[in-house]
Amino acid sequence: MSAIGVIWILVEIAGLIDALRHSGPDWSYADRNRAFWLIFMFFFGPIFVVPYLFLVRPRFPGAAEQPDQSFRKL
């Protein structure tokens, strides 16, 4: 396998891992469709990982934007 193929696969895996780390509410907060991005990143690799990094990832809530969970029922 060529170096370009290895880099392609590594970028794809890194993007998928990062996307899977975020919960459903994070995706809802970012107003993005999780299934769409995961499927297209899996099949098209860096062609969708790069836009994910610049268009979706910045919209996820940071630690300061997380709502206080103390009001929720357990």
Side-chain angles (χ1 to χ4, degrees):
M1 184 177 276
S2 70
I4 293 173
V6 172
I7 292 170
W8 184 279
I9 291 170
L10 291 175
V11 168
E12 179 178 356
I13 291 170
L16 284 170
I17 289 172
D18 183 66
L20 289 170
R21 286 184 327 119
H22 295 284
S23 65
D26 286 350
W27 284 89
S28 295
Y29 182 86
D31 196 27
R32 296 293 184 252
N33 187 341
R34 182 180 192 174
F36 169 83
W37 283 98
L38 291 175
I39 289 169
F40 277 85
M41 282 194 296
F42 179 77
F43 286 111
F44 297 109
I47 295 171
F48 272 82
V49 171
V50 172
Y52 162 79
L53 292 175
F54 290 106
L55 300 175
V56 178
R57 192 155 196 319
R59 296 183 69 147
F60 287 135
E65 297 170 343
Q66 293 287 345
D68 183 19
Q69 299 295 326
S70 63
F71 70 91
R72 298 181 69 182
K73 283 185 164 181
L74 297 176

